[in-house]
Amino acid sequence: MLRKRFVVATASAAAGLALLSACSGGTEAAAPAVAPAAAVAGAGGNAPAAKGETKVAVAEAGDLGQVLVDKDGFTLYRFDKDAPKPPKSTCDGDCAKTWPPVLAEGDVKIEGVDQALVGELTRADGRKQVTVGGWALYRYVKDAKAGETKGQGVGSTWYAANAKGGKAGQAAKEAPAEQKADGATKLVASNVDGIGPAIVDQQGFTLYMFTKDKKNKQPTCNGDCAKTWPPVLAEGDVQLEGIAAKLLGTVKRADGATQVTVGGWPVYRYSKDANAGEANGHGVGGTWFVIEPAGCKSSAPVKQKAAQSGNAAPKKEEGAPAEAGGSEYGY
């Protein structure tokens, strides 16, 4: 346990984070932002942590529920490759530059967290790092302001920490990944380099939506199109990580298969993504886009190569079916 004095705040941390279910742009308007999480630092009339102090508080984060934040309202994360018993941090060197550890400096103020769950570990460099539930806590450098949660799901190993040190957004009784049924479809909220918030599958491959589809209607990408853009099928129980259950759905395809939908949009992979984390399909033909965890198209800038992909394809004849050719399919 921490050998430092604890200052436990009795007032609740009532300020909310930006609504995670809001789209960043594209097919649907983004929901208005709510009060920034920075307000948590002084919520309920409590003064922010003094300089030289460390503060761990709790705030609500939309569909993720409660998350831990620091004295400035920045989201705190945990790393799956660490260990809680005994507490151990495996994020050093360049990793720690991207994920700065929350250090136990001076008095550690606690707000909304059970004091018995708060502890510390000694890092490889000798510094003391704060733990909750045995899990080391970190910030994420790409969270530029309080209330952002860009680290949620990164690499399928980083997650916002909840008040007990668990993964925010997951049910407490959810079975560990290794205990889940084989062959099940899994959708994970992640961040893709150059894109931002995105949904990936269980192998880390980026998932897409097609703007010529319609919400909750039979998908229009069939035949050769479906070879280039394989549909994500509902196989076994569809598992979600960091995505609101209310957004999940299914729709019947023309061949009778059942395709997964998020926010009503059928979900696809792109055959030209050779490795996990690639997003070569974003913007192809001006109709294919990375799908965000909120169930809408990503508003990330489209690379010129993607926008022009397939322009050399034969011109589609008037009246030809949609999948007959053209840049919109990227083949």
Side-chain angles (χ1 to χ4, degrees), residues 208-221 253 259 264-268 287-288:
Y208 301 85
M209 58 170 284
F210 184 36
T211 57
K212 292 203 171 185
D213 283 344
K214 293 183 179 180
K215 282 189 172 185
N216 302 307
K217 299 294 184 180
Q218 190 175 86
T220 59
C221 179
R253 293 180 52 78
Q259 185 170 356
W265 291 100
V267 180
Y268 304 83
T287 54
W288 291 93

Side-chain angles (χ1 to χ4, degrees), residues 146-309:
E148 292 187 343
T149 55
K150 293 179 180 178
Q152 178 71 3
V154 169
S156 296
T157 53
W158 290 94
Y159 299 91
N162 63 26
K164 294 183 179 181
K167 298 178 185 179
Q170 291 193 328
K173 295 182 179 180
E174 184 180 17
E178 60 270 17
Q179 295 179 6
K180 293 177 179 178
D182 292 334
T185 300
K186 184 175 182 181
L187 305 182
V188 179
S190 185
N191 267 272
V192 172
D193 287 346
I195 298 294
I199 300 177
V200 300
D201 66 9
Q202 58 264 46
Q203 296 174 316
F205 280 84
T206 305
L207 301 182
Y208 301 85
M209 58 170 284
F210 184 36
T211 57
K212 292 203 171 185
D213 283 344
K214 293 183 179 180
K215 282 189 172 185
N216 302 307
K217 299 294 184 180
Q218 190 175 86
T220 59
C221 179
N222 302 293
D224 288 339
C225 174
K227 294 177 182 178
T228 302
W229 301 91
V232 176
L233 302 179
E235 298 175 341
D237 293 329
V238 179
Q239 300 157 12
L240 300 177
E241 197 167 287
I243 300 169
K246 65 183 180 182
L247 296 175
L248 178 67
T250 59
V251 65
K252 284 291 185 183
R253 293 180 52 78
D255 60 5
T258 301
Q259 185 170 356
V260 174
T261 63
V262 175
W265 291 100
V267 180
Y268 304 83
R269 268 191 41 184
Y270 186 40
S271 62
K272 294 184 180 180
D273 282 344
N275 301 294
E278 293 184 349
N280 298 314
H282 184 62
V284 166
T287 54
W288 291 93
F289 297 92
V290 170
I291 186 167
E292 294 187 345
C296 45
K297 78 174 186 180
S298 171
S299 60
V302 174
K303 295 181 181 179
Q304 186 176 8
K305 182 179 179 181
Q308 295 178 346
S309 178

